[in-house]
Amino acid sequence: APAWSPVGRYLALTLSISCSPNIYLMEIATRTISRLTNASSIDTEPCWMPDGISLLFTSDRSGGTHIYEVSANGGRPSRITFEGNYNAAPDISPDGRFLSLVHNNGNGFRIAVMDMQNRTMRIITKGSLDEGPSYAPNGSMIIYASAEQVHGVLAAVSVDGRVKQKLRLTEGD
């Protein structure tokens, strides 16, 4: 789950070099790799904050799966999510105001949005297997993968959860 830094100078990636998967940065020009996290847990799915100063990532270091933030210079990660027993696949809105993620509180995997200022979370989809949220460039919609009967589909939802749409494709799953 690699992620380009906002100015394209670095690539954040998950590597299992000498132990469990951790978050690393690769400087593109020099191919130099530096380690950002150092845990025996699984750290994965890095996502850059729009200012490039820090990254969000998924980790099971607390016993459950949650979202953490770490400085692009390294240091001690801080936990961002506390609701539910599973929060993963972070994607931040272009303005940095909202975090979209896959959330499970025992009722299936759904897309949720967290306000980064007051840390309130709102579930915005109703599927049982919704995953892979990604913001539109204007920050108003989130596209995600879902399931409809036995097929995989793409769907979109507005950040406030009011507008929902399945994308109808004639081929593929």
Side-chain angles (χ1 to χ4, degrees), residues 89-92 100-101 111 131-137 141-145 155-157:
D91 192 39
I92 196 78
S100 66
L101 56 121
I111 305 303
E131 57 188 353
S134 179
Y135 276 94
M141 297 291 288
I142 299 168
I143 193 165
Y144 63 98
V157 61

Side-chain angles (χ1 to χ4, degrees), residues 56 66-69 78-82 99 114 116 119:
L56 303 174
H66 287 281
I67 307 297
Y68 289 78
E69 184 172 12
S78 59
R79 188 169 160 183
I80 300 292
T81 59
F82 292 90
L99 167 65
M114 175 186 275
M116 291 296 284
R119 302 294 166 105

Side-chain angles (χ1 to χ4, degrees), residues 76-169:
R76 186 178 177 94
S78 59
R79 188 169 160 183
I80 300 292
T81 59
F82 292 90
E83 258 184 73
N85 55 17
Y86 182 92
N87 295 291
D91 192 39
I92 196 78
S93 63
D95 62 6
R97 184 170 172 208
F98 296 105
L99 167 65
S100 66
L101 56 121
V102 177
H103 175 78
N104 188 340
N105 60 3
N107 296 323
F109 296 92
R110 298 183 174 151
I111 305 303
V113 171
M114 175 186 275
D115 185 312
M116 291 296 284
Q117 291 176 340
N118 62 26
R119 302 294 166 105
T120 57
M121 190 179 301
R122 185 176 68 250
I123 298 170
I124 60 172
T125 66
K126 294 182 180 181
S128 61
L129 190 55
D130 298 336
E131 57 188 353
S134 179
Y135 276 94
N138 67 6
S140 66
M141 297 291 288
I142 299 168
I143 193 165
Y144 63 98
S146 189
E148 187 172 81
Q149 297 172 347
V150 296
H151 298 286
V153 297
L154 289 177
V157 61
S158 60
V159 174
D160 62 12
R162 288 191 255 170
V163 178
K164 295 178 173 127
Q165 176 180 356
K166 294 272 168 95
L167 304 180
R168 302 287 176 206
L169 303 172

